[in-house]
Amino acid sequence: MESNNSGKFFVGSLVVIGVLVFVVNLILNSMLSLADGVLPPPKMDDDAISERLAPVAQERIGEEPIVEAAAVEVSDDATASDAGPGQQIFTAVCAMCHNSGLMQSPKLGSKEDWAPRIDKGIETLYDHALNGFKAMPARGGNASLSDEDVKAAVDYMVSKAQ
């Protein structure tokens, strides 16, 4: 009894091989499509590393920085020679608050505003101007001013209040 199963076996083998090829092809294509979305690794040179490590934001603790007023230059030669360093510093740094009485600062030329402060003594006024006092920032908010510059501005304001 001879069975004729060899043809069925051959066809079955071809079908199994075809299914395996199809499955392998499907797996390889899906792996290739996953690789399309992969980003290349970042550059590793010093500039690229320092750029990635740079802070993305700044945090401020305490008071906001004080915006400095632009220096006012006096164009008239006669007026410039009359204006001493105290008046020039006042105009450039102090006038913004002390001309208007901003944040309860004593107004320039107001004897009533300046009298209680002058009574405390010139050294106290210098100390408050140099180191800050209440809403008054140290050196009027301009850290580049020297002690002499700040004292000259204080002397100018006191002279206008007497």
Side-chain angles (χ1 to χ4, degrees), residues 4-128:
N4 196 358
N5 288 335
S6 64
K8 290 181 183 178
F9 180 74
F10 180 70
V11 172
S13 297
L14 286 177
V15 170
V16 169
I17 290 173
V19 170
L20 286 174
V21 168
F22 177 75
V23 170
V24 168
N25 190 17
L26 185 65
I27 291 171
L28 290 175
N29 281 336
S30 66
M31 289 175 65
L32 287 174
S33 68
L34 287 176
D36 290 342
V38 175
L39 297 175
K43 295 180 181 177
M44 297 304 287
D45 60 356
D46 290 340
D47 292 337
I49 291 172
S50 64
E51 183 179 333
R52 286 193 304 268
L53 293 177
V56 295
Q58 292 182 347
E59 184 174 335
R60 294 185 191 250
I61 298 174
E63 297 179 3
E64 288 293 318
I66 295 175
V67 179
E68 296 179 19
V72 177
E73 294 188 27
V74 181
S75 59
D76 186 19
D77 291 337
T79 309
S81 63
D82 293 344
Q87 182 179 357
Q88 291 173 347
I89 294 165
F90 171 82
T91 303
V93 180
C94 312
M96 185 168 43
C97 294
H98 287 283
N99 274 340
S100 63
L102 186 67
M103 295 187 290
Q104 299 176 346
S105 62
K107 291 182 184 179
L108 181 68
S110 171
K111 293 180 182 184
E112 182 179 308
D113 289 348
W114 280 97
R117 292 165 173 89
I118 293 172
D119 289 344
K120 293 180 182 178
I122 195 71
E123 289 302 319
T124 303
L125 289 174
Y126 289 156
D127 180 59
H128 290 173

Side-chain angles (χ1 to χ4, degrees), residues 117-150:
R117 292 165 173 89
I118 293 172
D119 289 344
K120 293 180 182 178
I122 195 71
E123 289 302 319
T124 303
L125 289 174
Y126 289 156
D127 180 59
H128 290 173
L130 290 169
N131 301 313
F133 183 73
K134 295 184 181 178
M136 165 80 179
R139 299 178 188 276
N142 187 346
S144 66
L145 291 176
S146 68
D147 289 359
E148 290 76 26
D149 291 339
V150 174

